[in-house]
Amino acid sequence: MTLPENERDYNALSDANFRCEVRAFIEQNYPQKLRFMLRRVKRDEIMEWWRALYLKGWIAPSWPVEYGGMGLNGGKMVIFIEELERYGVVASPDKGITHVGPTIMKFGTEAQKRFYLPRNASGEYIWCQGYSEPNAGSDLANLQTSALIDGENFVINGQKTWTSMAHDSTHMFVLVRTKKNTNKKQEGISFLLVDLASPGITIRPMRNIAGHQEFCEIFFDNVRVPVDALVGKLDDGWRVAKALLSFERLNIGSPRRSQYALRRLQMLAKAKGLFSDSGFVDKYATLTMDVEDLGSLYGRFVEQVKRGEPLGQDVSSLKIWGMETWQRLTELLIETGAEDGVGDGLQNIDDVEIDFLTTFYYARSATIYGGSSEIQRNIIAKYVLQLPS
Amino acid sequence: MSKSEAAVIGIEVEGTVAEQGMLRDSVTDFVRRLCDMSRVRRLRADGVDCDPSFWKRLADLGWLGILVPQAMGGLGLGLTEAAIVAEGLGAALIPEPFNAMGCMTTTALSACAPNELAQELLTRIVAGEQRVALAWQEEPGELDVNLSAMSVEHIGHEIRLNGIKRYVLAGKAAEGFLVSAVTAAGPELYWVPADAVGLQRDYTLLADGRHFGVLRLQDVAVPSRHRLARGEAARVALETARDYATVIAGAELMGLMKSALKMSLDYMRNREQFGKPIGSFQALQHRAVDLFIQQQLASAVLESALEALRNRPDAKQRAIIASRVKARCSDAALRIVRETIQIHGAMGFTDEFDAGLYLKRALVLSAWLGNAACHRRRYARYALGAQL
């Protein structure tokens, strides 16, 4: 299996031409029925789109060309994402592209690169993230799932949880403890690649408050994986895991969710004639300005990426403000919906179709995943404001 | 087009990033050498809004003409540069009305060109020889320059003005006024010297010790050459001056909030209670982070506004941008100064400690030219107009 060759230098295109080309491709190929989807999509729903991107050579926009990516620089990458967002393209189960790929490129062996990268790109391998455990949430370094070397294998025992879409994935990248009683709990952790078909793995999907099977508990009972499943050095997995995060926090801080909720609110308010209600208009204007100002803050970090500068820890402020603004919007949506706002599923209000609750439910999780708002505040306090501990 | 070429035909051109950095440094240096809180307190105690010798120094640096095109005797720089100066002066709580006189009045006068009297006034203002305030507002929370109860009568070669102007921030320091009126033909702008017969000046004492001027014009007669602009030209002059000053007020608040937050963070690092620096307590850390986020948002909005204004948007778009800046900067600054008092505890509540000075200046700057609520309403009217 080989990736289509990407012989074009996309970075040499003007921003406008590149944007135009990306937009046209999305509009021609992205399935209408999946636009602006509120829940996570399943693998079989999204595979048609995945294949289209793959055949075009666009499935891994941020990967270097030598690995079959588009080799986009920060600025072009932002445009690519903006166009996906503009059209309401749902997030694919693409952790193999966004997380595993870059990790293997940076820390993996040649054999791992040759084996995994093409399979991740084609969608043959779909990845989920095995980080959190029942006693390792915000305190992630407290993880206890163990992997002991036994001959040619690691033997894994323990439990992971809150793993999004594990039941719809083929593989998992997982943080395990390979050494106990270290000085710091961040030491002695390793980064492993695990085939979810391995004997001894039990996956139990859980329903979230939106009623969707999104995250799972994973139980490891003497699961044997080959020693070459290790990425990076043994006991050095914390560093491997941490190397990924800043571009992700920028993406999480994008104003797209809030802009989408604001459009719904606008349609609803229009249908209900609320723009003559000064009380409502005050709230609406405040939130609209919150979203616009979020856009300014996001734009500033994007410019930083475009100039090729690394993002600092202050990007956490984007996630906090972005997610908390989104939450306020979903709350005002429900308030504005009044009695209709608590109806389950799609509600039709004067020909405007709105799913009040799903958006509201998912907004709850936004200040929890990817480092809770409290953890983000700790990060800013420590690294940006340099406050004592 | 080079900067000097552009200036000759009356277009301001912004300096390069390096030049802006140098300006920032010279503002910082100026403020460090000449301004300290004891001067701020002394002026407050004396009821002085503008120290003439200090004002002359601002003029000598060229800052009173920062927005005035070079062809009209100014530096011909842009709003970004004016914002840099205002931020530096705001950070040190300088009471002198750099914005009200050095930006707002001069913007209005520059827009009156070609006009001989306007040019004479500009020349004197830029040189620091005459202090002129723009008196346009009459009602609280009303930002529309097209509304005025000032009456204008033509009697022979004279024009007689009757009415009241309020909320003139530089009103006490001013030696003359640009007074607006609205007739059937639209807005008009007049030059009224401070010693004009029939002009009564009163002052309202403000939270920060400065004053709003109240001008009562009773049969004030001015020659017709004192009419600096009328109709569309006057409207453009007034609206541009109002919106630019609104953005610059945001920059001044920006400097102020940075100083206040820095003071709070320094205190959190050093003040010990329960055997530890209070900055190690998570409740206080998270409070500080929320203030930092507001400061970041405000500075991102200000930055994007200055960028957008560089492209000369239309009047409606300019008003929307100005409202976004003023609303966010006012809210952020007020929140930061209130929390600055809280973080400093009882000391923050004393008059001898500086936290109160920041609070009071923020109160005045946030209310002048429309507070956050007022600007959110204006934003709603303009930006959401089609839906309302």
Side-chain angles (χ1 to χ4, degrees):
Chain A
M1 182 169 22
T2 52
L3 270 172
E5 282 288 319
N6 252 331
E7 283 171 3
R8 292 181 57 197
D9 179 6
Y10 292 100
N11 295 326
L13 294 176
S14 75
D15 283 358
N17 286 345
F18 179 67
R19 186 182 292 280
C20 210
E21 195 175 325
V22 173
R23 183 174 296 186
F25 180 80
I26 294 170
E27 286 174 358
Q28 278 160 29
N29 291 280
Y30 189 74
Q32 273 294 330
K33 63 178 185 294
L34 296 182
R35 289 185 70 190
F36 296 108
M37 181 100 119
L38 296 180
R39 60 170 171 81
R40 279 184 202 261
V41 281
K42 301 199 70 173
R43 199 164 22 138
D44 55 7
E45 294 175 292
I46 201 70
M47 250 327 131
E48 175 193 343
W49 168 240
W50 187 297
R51 291 299 297 178
L53 283 172
Y54 176 67
L55 293 173
K56 176 86 176 163
W58 284 11
I59 190 65
S62 62
W63 287 10
V65 176
E66 56 179 307
Y67 296 119
M70 294 168 81
L72 298 188
N73 61 29
K76 290 288 191 295
M77 190 64 210
V78 166
I79 290 172
F80 195 85
I81 292 170
E82 279 171 358
E83 286 306 309
L84 294 173
E85 289 175 353
R86 192 193 69 91
Y87 200 67
V89 174
V90 73
S92 294
D94 61 355
K95 285 204 159 58
I97 308 290
T98 57
H99 289 62
V100 181
T103 304
I104 288 178
M105 286 175 219
K106 187 163 181 187
F107 298 98
T109 62
E110 277 310 309
Q112 285 172 330
K113 290 177 196 171
R114 273 198 310 280
F115 183 80
Y116 286 108
L117 297 181
R119 288 171 173 80
N120 290 2
S122 71
E124 181 187 353
Y125 285 8
I126 296 291
W127 293 82
C128 60
Q129 172 179 291
Y131 283 10
S132 295
E133 295 181 8
N135 288 315
S138 288
D139 185 10
L140 182 60
N142 193 42
L143 59 92
Q144 302 300 327
T145 295
S146 70
L148 300 176
I149 295 180
D150 178 26
E152 291 299 294
N153 292 312
F154 283 105
V155 181
I156 308 174
N157 279 288
Q159 181 188 349
K160 291 289 171 183
T161 191
W162 319 133
T163 302
S164 289
M165 305 308 280
H167 57 301
D168 199 38
S169 304
T170 62
H171 288 70
M172 173 189 244
F173 55 103
V174 54
L175 289 179
V176 292
R177 189 158 293 286
T178 38
K179 192 175 182 184
K180 287 194 173 155
N181 305 319
T182 52
N183 284 333
K184 287 178 66 183
K185 56 191 178 182
Q186 285 82 2
E187 294 163 5
I189 289 171
S190 297
F191 190 104
L192 300 183
L193 305 175
V194 175
D195 184 342
L196 288 173
S198 311
I201 292 180
T202 309
I203 298 174
R204 191 179 79 83
M206 285 176 277
R207 278 188 198 286
N208 61 25
I209 56 171
H212 301 146
Q213 283 195 351
E214 188 201 14
F215 42 46
C216 304
E217 288 179 295
I218 323 281
F219 300 90
F220 295 86
D221 182 12
N222 287 317
V223 175
R224 302 184 82 84
V225 299
V227 285
D228 64 10
L230 174 71
V231 180
K233 295 200 191 96
L234 190 68
D235 302 332
D236 196 32
W238 190 254
R239 195 166 67 91
V240 176
K242 262 178 73 173
L244 279 168
L245 297 172
S246 77
F247 200 82
E248 192 187 43
R249 267 186 286 169
L250 176 67
N251 190 21
I252 285 179
S254 152
R256 68 175 181 275
R257 296 173 189 81
S258 293
Q259 285 163 348
Y260 179 67
L262 193 60
R263 272 198 295 277
R264 294 276 129 180
L265 182 60
Q266 179 199 332
M267 288 159 70
L268 177 68
K270 213 169 189 174
K272 295 180 73 130
L274 286 171
F275 283 120
S276 56
D277 170 345
S278 67
F280 174 81
V281 171
D282 276 353
K283 289 183 194 174
Y284 181 79
T286 301
L287 273 165
T288 306
M289 293 173 95
D290 284 348
V291 175
E292 277 220 58
D293 294 359
L294 169 65
S296 294
L297 187 62
Y298 177 70
R300 186 148 86 169
F301 286 112
V302 165
E303 286 305 314
Q304 208 177 326
V305 171
K306 284 185 178 174
R307 288 194 302 268
E309 295 168 17
L311 291 170
Q313 300 282 12
D314 57 338
V315 73
S316 286
S317 59
L318 184 67
K319 195 207 166 204
I320 296 171
W321 182 254
M323 294 298 139
E324 293 182 359
T325 297
W326 185 34
Q327 289 187 337
R328 288 195 295 279
L329 270 162
T330 63
E331 289 152 23
L332 184 57
L333 265 167
I334 294 216
E335 182 185 303
T336 306
E339 284 83 347
D340 297 319
V342 293
D344 190 57
L346 216 51
Q347 308 294 308
N348 186 309
I349 294 154
D350 295 320
D351 289 333
V352 176
E353 295 220 308
I354 298 187
D355 187 333
F356 293 96
L357 293 174
T358 301
T359 317
F360 171 76
Y361 292 143
Y362 274 98
R364 300 296 97 201
S365 71
T367 48
I368 300 168
Y369 63 64
S372 69
S373 286
E374 287 65 37
I375 292 295
Q376 306 289 351
R377 284 183 170 88
N378 289 351
I379 289 171
I380 295 176
K382 183 172 177 182
Y383 297 105
V384 182
L385 305 184
Q386 313 258 309
L387 290 169
S389 52
Chain B
M1 182 171 7
S2 76
K3 194 155 50 174
S4 55
E5 281 171 323
V8 169
I9 55 167
I11 301 173
E12 312 112 58
V13 175
E14 310 227 343
T16 63
V17 172
E19 285 167 343
Q20 288 167 2
M22 281 163 60
L23 178 62
R24 198 177 294 278
D25 290 345
S26 66
V27 178
T28 309
D29 183 55
F30 172 77
V31 163
R32 201 179 41 234
R33 279 187 297 114
L34 290 178
C35 318
D36 57 35
M37 287 301 167
S38 63
R39 191 186 84 93
V40 173
R41 288 174 184 278
R42 197 172 61 244
L43 292 177
R44 181 179 72 155
D46 296 346
V48 173
D49 290 2
C50 182
D51 166 7
S53 65
F54 185 88
W55 194 247
K56 189 74 177 84
R57 284 175 188 273
L58 292 181
D60 292 344
L61 287 160
W63 294 347
L64 299 182
I66 197 160
L67 290 173
V68 178
Q70 284 184 359
M72 299 167 93
L75 291 185
L77 293 168
L79 273 182
T80 301
E81 282 79 5
I84 289 170
V85 174
E87 188 176 326
L89 300 180
L93 301 185
I94 305 300
E96 277 77 4
F98 162 75
N99 183 9
M101 287 186 179
C103 298
M104 187 156 75
T105 301
T106 55
T107 297
L109 282 172
S110 300
C112 292
N115 179 293
E116 206 177 315
L117 178 57
Q119 180 60 61
E120 273 171 41
L121 291 169
L122 266 178
T123 305
R124 291 206 293 273
I125 292 169
V126 170
E129 289 162 3
Q130 187 156 30
R131 295 189 299 270
V132 178
L134 178 61
W136 64 281
Q137 202 179 354
E138 295 173 17
E139 297 294 328
E142 181 55 69
L143 301 179
D144 190 346
V145 304
N146 301 295
L147 299 176
S148 169
M150 181 74 54
S151 88
V152 180
E153 284 173 282
H154 293 259
I155 298 173
H157 291 297
E158 276 188 354
I159 294 162
R160 239 172 244 180
L161 301 170
N162 275 283
I164 302 180
K165 292 290 175 184
R166 299 179 191 276
Y167 316 117
V168 185
L169 186 56
K172 192 171 182 190
E175 296 156 315
F177 301 91
L178 309 182
V179 175
S180 71
V182 177
T183 67
E188 304 189 337
L189 192 59
Y190 293 91
W191 162 240
V192 178
D195 58 3
V197 176
L199 172 63
Q200 186 197 331
R201 263 206 279 188
D202 297 314
Y203 313 111
T204 316
L205 179 64
L206 301 176
D208 65 350
R210 298 191 298 171
H211 304 82
F212 276 147
V214 183
L215 308 186
R216 293 190 168 82
L217 290 84
Q218 196 169 10
D219 287 331
V220 171
V222 294
S224 56
R225 73 179 283 265
H226 281 202
R227 187 171 61 201
L228 300 165
R230 61 189 301 198
E232 184 61 12
R235 194 183 57 77
V236 169
L238 285 163
E239 289 184 344
T240 310
R242 174 202 61 193
D243 290 339
Y244 282 9
T246 303
V247 172
I248 300 299
E252 202 173 344
L253 284 161
M254 191 70 235
L256 183 155
M257 74 178 91
K258 280 183 180 167
S259 291
L261 181 56
K262 182 177 179 304
M263 184 166 87
S264 297
L265 292 170
D266 286 343
Y267 187 68
M268 286 173 67
R269 289 186 202 104
N270 295 314
R271 166 72 172 167
E272 290 194 6
Q273 286 286 273
F274 306 103
K276 298 161 121 180
I278 60 170
S280 65
F281 302 133
Q282 197 182 36
L284 287 186
Q285 288 185 345
H286 286 195
R287 251 181 141 123
V289 169
D290 284 337
L291 302 182
F292 172 73
I293 291 172
Q294 288 304 311
Q295 182 195 295
Q296 290 267 88
L297 266 181
S299 86
V301 174
L302 178 61
E303 209 176 279
S304 66
L306 293 169
E307 174 79 34
L309 290 170
R310 212 166 289 163
N311 301 323
R312 301 302 174 104
D314 63 25
K316 180 180 156 189
Q317 215 44 47
R318 189 186 60 217
I320 289 171
I321 291 166
S323 283
R324 281 186 60 204
V325 171
K326 191 66 173 12
R328 178 65 62 194
C329 289
S330 298
D331 273 352
L334 283 174
R335 183 164 167 191
I336 288 172
V337 292
R338 284 192 307 262
E339 293 279 349
T340 295
I341 297 212
Q342 179 69 20
I343 287 166
H344 286 84
M347 194 173 76
F349 190 60
T350 61
D351 186 60
E352 67 184 72
F353 188 69
D354 291 339
L357 299 181
Y358 287 94
L359 170 77
K360 291 170 178 179
R361 177 60 50 78
L363 282 166
V364 171
L365 280 177
S366 61
W368 181 54
L369 296 175
N371 63 20
C374 170
H375 280 282
R376 282 193 294 268
R377 280 196 299 275
R378 186 169 83 152
Y379 174 89
R381 251 193 331 274
Y382 283 132
L384 317 172
Q387 295 149 29
L388 301 187

